[in-house]
Amino acid sequence: MDPLTLLREYTIRNSLDKIVRVNDEFRFGTDYSFPATIETAYRSKHVQQTRRYTLETLVHFITNHHLKHTDYIQNARALRIPAVTLPDRKPLLDYLTGKVQSSDSILPLDFPNINPQITNLDRNVQNDASHAVGLESGNKAIELIMAKEKPIKDREAMLVFKKRDFYSVLTSATKRDEERQRMEALQRKDNIVAKNRIESRGFGVGEEATKMRKIGEGVPIILVPSAFSTLITIYNVKEFLEDGVFIPTDVKLKQVKGGKPDCVTVQKKFSRDRVVTAYEVRDKPSALKSDDWDRVVAVFVLGKEWQFKDWPFKDHVEIFNKILGFYMRFEDDSVESAKTVKQWNVKIISISKNKRHQDRAAALEVWDKLEEFMRSRSR
């Protein structure tokens, strides 16, 4: 199935939260995955650019189509994602949401894509190559092409640069490796802290410990959306809450080694308190058991109704009476983007798009509200 058709199906059945970006590819549930920069069959009608939109562009557009076009363009530029042009917005949205069945902007992709530079080969070489392929001799075709090539540099010459050496490359790679090892060590330490807190409260292995367990005891849980259209995700929540620094999810994805974590442990590290509470951050509410829901203390909301589908609460009033809600936004976002959220009992946290030194104050505001909520909950 091509990525455009698949994205349309996920949009129509309100399953965009199941589209997850991992490194440089988008995963559609557990069935399909495509490179983020793959071209789709949808072509721009803009007079000056008859290009195909990439999957990255379409996913970003459909998850942010509620924004005004100027706000959407700014958001796309901040994330360095090519944007959908204004003339294409409505017809593209109508197609993806199922209002129309087809569009004259859809031009099926030819597969495989042949590099147009190959057409510059000598006609005789093309004929010889075709003849070789016809004889099921692919190696001969390659040899014919290579015979027409003129080597400019060998692999040793490629390593020679004036005024440059590879020491800086080695140093940079070493620093990244040291940083990765440091983060892994901190993660292991946080997991040990969380485990010790559980055991210190009487949650050992065995039936007796299970009987003694009280409702809501254990490591508190903070839920974050799995959709990439929100500012805080499981990828960047640790840096924001622990270090007071907001790092866009797409930037963090390029730094992450391995798959997506099921759980991240966070603590308030910039605190004078001697006792620091550990929190589990998760983004899969469907994986929570009934006992786990008793430990949920906070949620970062996406601003969409479908985020709370299948939650064990009857409505938003009950949810935000029992769970502390946060909504993260850029301070210059349109008021319209937070229109739904303002009807809920959630705390809106605003951060700057560029002034990273202000992130710490926003993170402290989250911690203050969370600690106040935890004190009221324990009374």
Side-chain angles (χ1 to χ4, degrees):
M1 181 175 291
D2 69 283
L4 177 64
T5 303
L6 198 60
L7 178 60
R8 183 172 186 264
E9 289 186 3
Y10 272 64
T11 303
I12 293 174
R13 65 173 187 244
N14 292 324
S15 297
L16 290 175
D17 59 316
K18 295 181 180 179
I19 302 177
V20 179
R21 179 165 183 163
V22 178
N23 297 325
D24 293 327
E25 67 178 19
F26 281 104
R27 295 181 181 178
F28 290 71
T30 57
D31 299 325
Y32 298 92
S33 65
F34 299 95
T37 56
I38 190 174
E39 290 187 342
T40 67
Y42 203 94
R43 186 178 57 177
S44 172
K45 281 190 173 182
H46 197 278
V47 176
Q48 297 179 351
Q49 53 179 52
T50 56
R51 59 182 173 85
R52 297 178 187 272
Y53 286 120
T54 64
L55 179 59
E56 180 181 45
T57 293
L58 296 188
V59 171
H60 178 260
F61 167 72
I62 196 60
T63 54
N64 293 277
H65 69 85
H66 59 280
L67 298 177
K68 293 194 302 184
H69 190 65
T70 52
D71 295 332
Y72 160 72
I73 292 293
Q74 290 178 359
N75 183 265
R77 286 176 179 172
L79 298 175
R80 296 182 180 178
I81 296 175
V84 173
T85 62
L86 182 59
D88 290 334
R89 279 183 65 104
K90 188 178 186 306
L92 175 58
L93 183 62
D94 289 345
Y95 175 72
L96 290 178
T97 55
K99 290 184 179 180
V100 296
Q101 294 300 315
S102 185
S103 169
D104 55 2
S105 293
I106 298 176
L107 185 64
L109 291 166
D110 293 329
F111 185 82
N113 287 326
I114 304 301
N115 190 333
Q117 293 180 352
I118 293 179
T119 61
N120 294 330
L121 292 173
D122 185 90
R123 184 178 301 276
N124 292 330
V125 176
Q126 291 187 27
N127 293 335
D128 291 342
S130 299
H131 179 67
V133 172
L135 296 176
E136 298 182 356
S137 180
N139 290 335
K140 290 184 179 180
I142 295 174
E143 290 174 1
L144 289 169
I145 294 172
M146 292 179 65
K148 292 291 182 177
E149 293 181 347
K150 295 180 179 180
I152 299 175
K153 292 183 179 181
D154 58 20
R155 59 185 178 184
E156 291 184 0
M158 290 295 292
L159 297 175
V160 178
F161 288 90
K162 294 181 179 180
K163 299 180 180 180
R164 289 190 181 182
D165 58 46
F166 281 89
Y167 178 75
S168 58
V169 178
L170 176 62
T171 303
S172 177
T174 302
K175 286 183 178 179
R176 284 199 299 269
D177 188 58
E178 290 175 350
E179 178 65 16
R180 178 183 60 80
Q181 292 180 8
R182 186 183 71 84
M183 294 302 294
E184 289 178 353
L186 286 175
Q187 182 69 41
R188 288 193 297 268
K189 180 180 178 181
D190 290 344
N191 290 339
I192 292 172
V193 170
K195 181 180 179 181
N196 290 340
R197 288 186 179 276
I198 295 175
E199 292 177 349
S200 66
R201 294 187 181 187
F203 297 101
V205 179
E207 183 179 355
E208 191 65 28
T210 304
K211 291 180 179 179
M212 294 175 63
R213 180 174 180 175
K214 296 180 181 179
I215 294 177
E217 286 192 351
V219 179
I221 295 176
I222 300 174
L223 294 177
V224 295
S226 59
F228 279 27
S229 55
T230 184
L231 297 186
I232 296 297
T233 65
I234 200 166
Y235 292 99
N236 63 1
V237 65
K238 192 174 185 70
E239 283 76 12
F240 178 69
L241 291 181
E242 290 194 349
D243 303 326
V245 178
F246 170 74
I247 302 176
T249 297
D250 62 319
V251 175
K252 281 296 300 178
L253 279 171
K254 296 176 182 178
Q255 302 172 359
V256 171
K257 299 288 180 77
K260 178 182 177 183
D262 293 327
C263 174
V264 173
T265 304
V266 298
Q267 296 174 312
K268 185 181 178 182
K269 291 191 174 180
F270 42 92
S271 172
R272 297 179 180 178
D273 299 337
R274 297 183 66 182
V275 178
V276 180
T277 303
Y279 293 83
E280 291 181 5
V281 181
R282 300 176 179 270
D283 69 348
K284 294 181 180 178
S286 59
L288 297 181
K289 300 177 182 178
S290 58
D291 290 343
D292 295 329
W293 279 106
D294 293 333
R295 295 191 287 128
V296 177
V297 297
V299 57
F300 283 84
V301 302
L302 181 62
K304 305 292 184 181
E305 296 283 349
W306 49 259
Q307 181 182 2
F308 309 108
K309 184 180 179 181
D310 298 328
W311 281 35
F313 304 99
K314 62 181 181 180
D315 54 28
H316 296 112
V317 176
E318 184 180 2
I319 291 175
F320 298 119
N321 278 341
K322 296 182 177 180
I323 300 173
L324 181 61
F326 293 105
Y327 177 70
M328 294 288 299
R329 65 187 292 271
F330 286 126
E331 57 188 10
D332 55 351
D333 281 351
S334 64
V335 178
E336 192 68 22
S337 63
K339 184 177 179 181
T340 303
V341 176
K342 287 186 176 180
Q343 301 175 16
W344 303 341
N345 181 24
V346 303
K347 176 63 179 177
I348 298 178
I349 306 293
S350 300
I351 60 174
S352 171
K353 285 184 178 179
N354 305 308
K355 300 174 183 177
R356 298 279 66 84
H357 63 279
Q358 297 180 3
D359 295 341
R360 184 184 179 92
L364 280 171
E365 188 176 3
V366 172
W367 281 116
D368 289 344
K369 293 294 181 183
L370 184 56
E371 290 170 345
E372 181 183 348
F373 179 79
M374 291 295 289
R375 285 194 296 269
S376 65
R377 180 171 170 146
S378 61
R379 290 170 188 167

